Each structure stands twice: as C-alpha cells, then as structure tokens.
Amino acid sequence: MSIIDDAVMANRNYAKRHDRRLAQRPAPKIAVVTCMDPRLSNLPEILGLPHADIDVIRTGGPAVTEDVLAELVVSTRVLGSREIMLLDHTGCGFTTFTDDALNAKLAAATGDASPTPMRFFSYDDPEEHTREQIRKVRAHPWIAKDVPVRGFVFDMETGLLSEVDAAPERAGAAKRDGGVSAMDR
Ligand SMILES: [Zn+2]
C-alpha cells in the first residue's frame, strides 16, 4: 500500500468525527504565507490560532509568486482575512541549492534542458528573503494599504518567531543616531 492509500483509509475514520459546521462558508481572519516544509504544518499550535482562522498559502521558501499574490488578494478582498503574515524559517531546504546549479544538474541528469531556467526561488539568508517578500506583497496595488503585512523567521531550534524589519536601512540609521547621542550624554 502506498502512503496515499493509507491516507484514504484513514479518512474514513476521520469523517466520523468531522465537524459538519466546516461545510459553511470559509471565514479566515489571517493569511499566513509559509514554506512547504512539513515542520511548519502545525500552524494552529505554532501560532496559537484556530485552524478555521488561518488561510495557509504555502510555497518553497516561502516565495511570494504571482500565484501567492493572487491568493492574498482573494484572501483579503473576498474571504475576509484582515492581516498578512509571512513566515520564513531557519534550516530551509531552499537554502541548500541555487536555481542555476539545480537547473544545470537536472538538465544534465535528464538530458532535457527545455524547462530551463526554472524558477525554484532558492535563497541564502532568511531575514533578507523575508524582507524581499514583504516588499513584494506591500507593493501590490490590490493589497489594501490598511492590511498589516509582517514577516517573521521561525527558529527551528527554539520554536520562537523573530520579526523582520521590512526597512532595516532607515531603522539602522535611527539606531545609530540614537547611539551617538547616548554616548554624548
Ligand atoms: Zn523552507
């Protein structure tokens, strides 16, 4: 039996305790964009939010692609989400390769280069990556300006979130200015 066969069997038991109220219209309160990584699957526990409140949008990284933007527009404009959270993490599988190297490797291994250059959205630094994704969402004209867009890195070792400042240059300058005046005092 395959894993899918096991899952279909298990579903018959699940259906016996299924909450039928879920058949009503979806009513999410927040859209969370996170990585496909299975270690991020338990968002209700990680974030202390009910399943029914979270629209979960998952890609590798996560990367804010055109599809993700479309889903965020629907989540906030149609379904009722009021906030957007981008949830990156440490130890991401998408930091273990580069797009160029994987394209070359797969073209060589299969003898077919026709899909190149495939965009895998690999990246190096989770903080910088989060910052870029926040900017992408924030820049979209159909994401309402009063919808908060905040990004975080989930630490796989500690289980803690740290918020990423979307505009570190300005914040850094302000901190440095503060540092000088503090030293003067
Ligand atoms: Zn990941």
Side-chain angles (χ1 to χ4, degrees):
M1 287 242 295
S2 73
I3 296 170
I4 294 176
D5 289 330
D6 288 344
V8 173
M9 289 284 284
N11 168 258
R12 290 180 194 156
N13 282 324
Y14 162 76
K16 293 171 193 160
R17 57 179 194 281
H18 176 70
D19 181 355
R20 288 174 173 271
R21 286 171 301 177
L22 291 176
Q24 293 161 13
R25 196 176 186 278
K29 298 189 170 118
I30 179 171
V32 178
V33 183
T34 195
C35 187
M36 63 196 249
D37 192 307
R39 298 170 294 176
L40 288 160
S41 292
N42 198 353
L43 289 180
E45 190 167 355
I46 291 173
L47 303 176
L49 296 168
H51 269 289
D53 287 2
I54 321 173
D55 261 350
V56 185
I57 303 164
R58 299 183 77 162
T59 56
V64 173
T65 61
E66 283 300 308
D67 289 344
V68 169
L69 287 166
E71 286 147 9
L72 288 173
V73 168
V74 172
S75 186
T76 56
R77 295 278 184 181
V78 180
L79 301 176
S81 288
R82 297 189 295 268
E83 301 184 31
I84 294 172
M85 185 177 195
L86 303 179
L87 188 51
D88 280 55
H89 67 107
T90 60
C92 184
F94 282 72
T95 61
T96 62
F97 62 91
T98 65
D99 279 29
D100 285 349
L102 189 54
N103 270 287
K105 183 177 164 184
L106 294 175
T110 62
D112 187 346
S114 63
T116 59
M118 191 172 224
R119 285 297 304 274
F120 298 108
F121 297 95
S122 63
Y123 67 97
D124 284 324
D125 175 52
E127 275 197 33
E128 186 48 44
H129 187 252
T130 306
R131 219 166 269 137
E132 279 169 29
Q133 310 309 304
I134 296 171
R135 286 190 201 121
K136 269 196 206 174
V137 176
R138 199 62 292 172
H140 199 281
W142 288 355
I143 303 285
K145 296 298 166 222
D146 61 351
V147 171
V149 179
R150 295 168 63 184
F152 296 81
V153 175
F154 178 76
D155 187 320
M156 280 295 167
E157 301 245 344
T158 64
L160 288 170
L161 299 175
S162 32
E163 183 153 14
V164 174
D165 186 345
E169 296 88 350
R170 268 179 297 150
K175 256 179 223 157
R176 275 195 297 280
D177 293 347
V180 170
S181 51
M183 275 166 64
D184 289 344
R185 280 199 293 273

